[in-house]
Amino acid sequence: MPSTNPDVKKPTPEIFLRAVDLTPAPAEVFDEAYEATPQYVPWPKAYGGDMVAQSAAAMMRSVRGDRVLHSMHSYFMRPVDIGVPVRYEIEKLRDGRGYSTRSVRGFQNGKIVFTGMGSFQVPEEGTEYQPAAPSHLDPEELRSAAEVLTDADGAAADYWATGRSFDMRHVPGPVYVSVDGGVQAHQAVWVKAFASLPAAADEHANADLHRAALAYVCDYTILESLLRVQNLHWSSPGLVTASLDHSMWFHRFGRADDWLLYAQEAVSAQRNRGLALGRFFDRNGRLLATVAQEGMIRSGS
């Protein structure tokens, strides 16, 4: 397992791009397989967004180009080792005229570490509805993670500041080393890739890359509203968190290298588990995606 991250001082989306760089592999269980490598984090096990984005990218590779991913549902089965490839096996459950269904299982060290399903639709015209986007300060008026953590030391601070491929700016404030903004059930995070994501070979593949980027970045902060309601922060003594299951619905296309508002709320916390919801809006107020995630949260307090 790598002990240091060579990219933490360079704000670049390369970590995300390496995470979703799939290599075709022989299928041992189902119909199609790809390998991808979990990227560095300054903790013992891999970041859950790696598995969400990698599995989404693998499922997207397995469908015809006339349909797009509109929902995915995931379970994190075991902790995943950093730097050790995960093999994603795709089962082609159904290809209909308007929809396709895929299942995915991630294998590492001979064990299932991740399982999920995805549904794809041939786009249609229909009635539009969405809730209004919440009103918050523009991202340019907020401090970046690097600015917030100027005086903080250590591998975690470096990673939060520049090592996650995305600029993240919190409203009302981050929960890195304190509960900035107070105890409440809501928060929002402006997110944007540190640089423009590369243009893919065709429009369909390009849209898939940006969907994978949303699937990747969504897991970084989705549990923070649950930390906030318990007056916890990422540096709280004895804090242990883990993603348990995850669902995501893609409503409209948007670019992950433009500023997106990720509005989040705590739904319920009990028995060291919590459920949180998140919604991605672009700067024009269009709802791009909705996220629901349950996580384990244990604290030493």
Side-chain angles (χ1 to χ4, degrees), residues 5-20 39-43 46-50 53 143-149 155-171 173-177 187-195 197 212-224 227 233-235 241 256 259 262 264:
N5 180 4
D7 297 306
V8 294
K9 296 298 183 182
K10 299 182 294 183
T12 166
E14 284 302 315
I15 296 171
F16 156 68
L17 293 172
R18 285 200 298 268
V20 295
Q39 299 298 296
Y40 166 87
V41 292
W43 296 285
Y47 165 56
D50 273 15
R143 293 186 297 168
S144 68
E147 291 168 331
V148 169
L149 295 163
D158 286 342
Y159 181 73
W160 290 329
T162 59
R164 298 187 291 181
S165 291
F166 290 81
D167 192 344
M168 302 185 202
R169 306 188 179 196
H170 283 71
V171 183
V175 292
Y176 298 125
V177 297
Q187 71 165 25
V189 186
W190 285 101
V191 299
K192 182 180 75 166
F194 279 128
L197 296 178
L214 290 189
Y216 177 84
V217 74
C218 71
D219 191 32
Y220 276 124
T221 58
I222 186 62
L223 297 182
E224 289 184 348
L227 296 182
H233 51 82
W234 289 116
S235 302
T241 67
W259 282 114
Y262 191 15
Q264 302 160 3

Side-chain angles (χ1 to χ4, degrees), residues 73-197:
H73 306 277
S74 309
Y75 282 92
F76 303 88
M77 307 293 288
R78 291 180 173 87
V80 171
D81 291 333
I82 300 164
V84 179
V86 177
R87 188 180 78 258
Y88 293 94
E89 294 264 358
I90 307 300
E91 184 177 12
K92 299 180 179 181
L93 295 175
R94 180 177 183 269
D95 283 306
R97 287 185 297 176
Y99 289 85
S100 291
T101 307
R102 299 288 186 266
S103 74
V104 58
R105 290 186 184 179
F107 295 84
Q108 188 187 68
N109 301 322
K111 296 181 179 179
I112 297 175
V113 295
F114 178 94
T115 185
M117 293 189 68
S119 182
F120 296 77
Q121 182 198 21
V122 177
E124 303 175 21
E125 295 296 324
T127 302
E128 290 271 332
Y129 166 78
Q130 66 159 76
S135 178
H136 289 296
L137 291 173
D138 290 337
E140 293 83 3
E141 301 178 57
L142 301 169
R143 293 186 297 168
S144 68
E147 291 168 331
V148 169
L149 295 163
T150 298
D151 298 324
D153 295 320
D158 286 342
Y159 181 73
W160 290 329
T162 59
R164 298 187 291 181
S165 291
F166 290 81
D167 192 344
M168 302 185 202
R169 306 188 179 196
H170 283 71
V171 183
V175 292
Y176 298 125
V177 297
S178 64
V179 185
D180 188 354
V183 176
Q184 55 181 296
H186 296 79
Q187 71 165 25
V189 186
W190 285 101
V191 299
K192 182 180 75 166
F194 279 128
S196 297
L197 296 178

